[in-house]
Amino acid sequence: MKYPLILGFTIVAVDLVVWRARLPGNDLARLFIRLGLLFALSAVLFSSGLSPFTQAPYNDVVELHWLGQILEIIWWLMGARLLTLSLDTLLLPRAWRKQRLFSDVFGAVVFLAAAVAALGFVLELPVRGLVATSGALAIVLGLAIQSTLSDVFAGIVINTTEPYAIGDWVTIDDVEGKVVEMNWRATHLLTGQGNTLIVPNAVAAKAKITNNSRPGDVHGLSLILEIEPEARPKTVLDALGRALTGCNVILATPAPFARMKRTTANSVQYEVVAFVDDMNKKLAVSNELFDLCYRHLAAAGVGLRALGVPATALTSRDEKEALLKRVNLFDSLSGEDVTRLAKRLSRHEYQPGHQVLAPDTVPDSLSIVHSGVLSVSIVESGGTREISRIGPGEAFGEAGLLAGLAMQVSITTLTPSVLFRLVKDDMTSFLKDHPDVATQMCELLAYRQDKLGKLTTSMPAEQEKDHSVFQWLIGKVWNLHSLHDDTKSS
């Protein structure tokens, strides 16, 4: 064969272009092209007497001899690289390829073997002496980098047993984060604060690992609540159970539960455990569940307070006033107004399964939930769909009471519930004594019109063109409750 060196280096240059330019884009196709180039280079070498297992010819021409030696050494290195890529692409599982640890360690071993073979066959150096010397050197290096070697072997164990993979949310000891990289030395976690935490493999192999991403459709969350020791456990557990019922985002299976965890000298610890189907929901559901626990405990007369601080005793009148102050609709009322309005509230108790409000009805009273859980559902073409659940401190029916708007939802009790109601006559007399309150309430209703429009009869189009939502609502309230002109004009 004429000019084997030129042809051989041309093949090497083409392989270098394919490698660096990543042509073609498909990894498997690129691998087969590079394997074909290696076979072509092997054919050129063996057909021209440039065997990688012997020294290169051309001893009489030093330049050609060394070019042949270099080409034979390149053959060994290309073979080592392509052997590593073949194993990585064709044999290793996809999860292992992402982690890179096994392929990196295997590649290092293959390249070391190829380098020793090139030294022995191509350069004809005394490999036995080199191996013996390198063995002693390896002992010295092993003692110097034993912690690094510990990370490498621990990483091999982690990659083999696969307690977690890239993309999983894990807790290693007390640190929680998302696995973003796994290499021969450490595992990289992206924490909830947006920081990257590097956990050495030797530490991870000895640590207690909790994989929050397995199974993929069930993720648990837990809340620890400190409750005053005077509170009866059954009262607390019943309130926490209603809080779990009030959150319709958590899974029914596995079933959520509340339990007494431990007692201390100043408090009793209770744990609330629930499950969601998406890891991204845990934060929002935890916050919602804590709010529900707070409200249901308050409705049961149990407060979350600092240890050692005595609880404040509430009278029956204070209970009604405290309930009114938790309703957004009455945020603008003064303390005296709340006291007067609290006297007009009437108490109503319902058993589970009672329909408090039917669809397409105009409520003639404002209902405020004191305790219990109620389900809000809407009738669609495909049947009834639950859209939310309401609990202590939440109110409904204000649009019907103030403006005579029909509600398009059905509200049913899920647990034993206690409601306080303010009927239309009491509201009318109250608004006549406090006409400015009607304006303030209509401002709030106008602000919430986008939400109310989905649940109540929407505003007529002809009136919407002539008046703002607030003007239309204040007119409805003025006509329905026969208020004075100063209410309408305001």
Side-chain angles (χ1 to χ4, degrees):
M1 179 182 294
K2 293 183 178 181
Y3 311 114
L5 294 178
I6 296 177
L7 185 57
F9 279 107
T10 301
I11 295 174
V12 172
V14 172
D15 179 77
L16 183 64
V17 171
V18 172
W19 170 45
R20 298 300 298 174
R22 300 183 64 84
L23 296 173
N26 184 273
D27 292 341
L28 189 61
R30 186 166 62 253
L31 173 62
F32 283 120
I33 290 176
R34 296 190 66 187
L35 287 174
L37 292 174
L38 177 63
F39 290 142
L41 179 61
S42 302
V44 170
L45 292 179
F46 285 106
S47 63
S48 60
L50 289 167
S51 173
F53 298 98
T54 60
Q55 277 198 0
Y58 318 118
N59 291 326
D60 53 339
V61 183
V62 177
E63 291 81 3
L64 294 180
H65 173 75
W66 281 109
L67 287 176
Q69 295 280 76
I70 293 173
L71 193 60
E72 291 179 356
I73 293 175
I74 291 176
W75 182 90
W76 281 104
L77 298 180
M78 280 183 61
R81 179 56 182 163
L82 291 178
L83 177 61
T84 304
L85 287 177
S86 299
L87 176 68
D88 191 16
T89 304
L90 302 178
L91 299 180
L92 288 184
R94 183 178 297 273
W96 287 26
R97 286 190 302 231
K98 291 181 179 179
Q99 295 162 6
R100 304 299 310 163
L101 174 62
F102 185 81
S103 59
D104 289 345
V105 174
F106 180 78
V109 174
V110 171
F111 268 99
L112 180 61
V116 172
L119 292 175
F121 289 112
V122 178
L123 301 181
E124 294 184 352
L125 295 177
V127 178
R128 291 183 179 179
L130 180 64
V131 171
T133 304
S134 63
L137 181 62
I139 295 175
V140 175
L141 290 176
L143 293 175
I145 59 173
Q146 55 182 336
S147 60
T148 302
L149 291 177
S150 177
D151 289 332
V152 172
F153 287 106
I156 294 175
V157 173
I158 291 175
N159 279 262
T160 304
T161 57
E162 295 185 338
Y164 50 80
I166 292 178
D168 288 352
W169 277 91
V170 299
T171 302
I172 301 179
D173 280 340
D174 295 328
V175 179
E176 182 178 8
K178 181 180 180 181
V179 181
V180 294
E181 182 182 347
M182 297 174 63
N183 55 39
W184 57 271
R185 179 184 174 274
T187 297
H188 295 232
L189 300 180
L190 181 64
T191 66
Q193 290 75 33
N195 303 320
T196 299
L197 179 70
I198 300 176
V199 182
N201 289 331
V203 175
K206 299 176 182 178
K208 179 180 67 176
I209 300 174
T210 301
N211 193 328
N212 300 316
S213 298
R214 300 180 187 175
D217 55 350
V218 178
H219 307 280
L221 57 95
S222 174
L223 300 178
I224 304 296
L225 304 174
E226 297 269 356
I227 305 297
E228 56 193 11
E230 298 90 349
R232 182 183 176 186
K234 185 179 186 304
T235 301
V236 177
L237 292 174
D238 288 345
L240 296 180
R242 289 191 293 271
L244 290 169
T245 303
C247 185
N248 63 345
V249 183
I250 61 178
L251 297 176
T253 304
F257 63 89
R259 63 166 182 155
M260 189 187 74
K261 188 174 180 66
R262 65 172 61 92
T263 60
T264 65
N266 296 316
S267 68
V268 180
Q269 288 187 353
Y270 291 83
E271 182 181 23
V272 177
V273 179
F275 303 89
V276 294
D277 58 1
D278 189 346
M279 187 67 188
N280 295 324
K281 295 180 180 179
K282 286 186 66 174
L283 179 60
V285 174
S286 296
N287 293 335
E288 178 185 355
L289 194 56
F290 184 84
D291 179 72
L292 287 170
C293 291
Y294 178 89
R295 286 155 50 194
H296 282 276
L297 287 171
V302 179
L304 296 174
R305 57 185 175 88
L307 301 182
V309 177
T312 303
L314 296 176
T315 64
S316 60
R317 189 183 68 174
D318 292 334
E319 181 182 65
K320 293 181 180 181
E321 292 180 13
L323 181 62
L324 285 177
K325 291 179 180 179
R326 292 199 296 267
V327 179
N328 294 334
L329 195 63
F330 303 113
D331 284 344
S332 60
L333 297 184
S334 65
E336 295 180 357
D337 294 336
V338 170
T339 301
R340 296 190 189 98
L341 193 59
K343 297 177 181 179
R344 305 172 187 264
L345 296 178
S346 59
R347 180 186 176 94
H348 300 266
E349 298 186 11
Y350 300 96
Q351 294 300 314
H354 181 84
Q355 187 180 52
V356 180
L357 180 67
D360 301 318
T361 59
V362 180
D364 59 355
S365 63
L366 175 69
S367 299
I368 306 173
V369 182
H370 176 262
S371 63
V373 181
L374 295 88
S375 173
V376 182
S377 57
I378 189 169
V379 178
E380 298 177 330
S381 57
T384 302
R385 177 174 62 90
E386 185 182 58
I387 57 176
S388 66
R389 293 182 182 180
I390 55 179
E394 296 183 272
F396 59 91
E398 66 272 24
L401 177 65
L402 289 175
L405 299 178
M407 302 289 290
Q408 303 299 315
V409 298
S410 173
I411 300 180
T412 307
T413 58
L414 296 178
T415 66
S417 304
V418 176
L419 307 181
F420 283 94
R421 282 184 171 173
L422 183 66
V423 299
K424 178 178 177 293
D425 293 339
D426 289 335
M427 177 60 78
T428 299
S429 62
F430 179 80
L431 293 179
K432 286 182 178 180
D433 294 336
H434 305 81
D436 56 320
V437 174
T439 303
Q440 295 169 348
M441 289 184 173
C442 285
E443 289 176 350
L444 179 59
L445 279 179
Y447 176 77
R448 297 171 58 187
Q449 181 58 31
D450 289 339
K451 181 179 180 180
L452 291 174
K454 302 176 182 178
L455 308 179
T456 64
T457 301
S458 58
M459 177 178 170
E462 62 272 11
Q463 295 195 20
E464 190 174 352
K465 296 178 182 178
D466 299 333
H467 304 283
S468 66
V469 175
F470 170 73
Q471 291 173 327
W472 179 71
L473 284 173
I474 198 67
K476 293 281 290 183
V477 174
W478 179 71
N479 291 324
L480 184 64
H481 296 276
S482 302
L483 301 182
H484 301 295
D485 291 341
D486 55 351
T487 303
K488 183 178 179 180
S489 61
S490 60

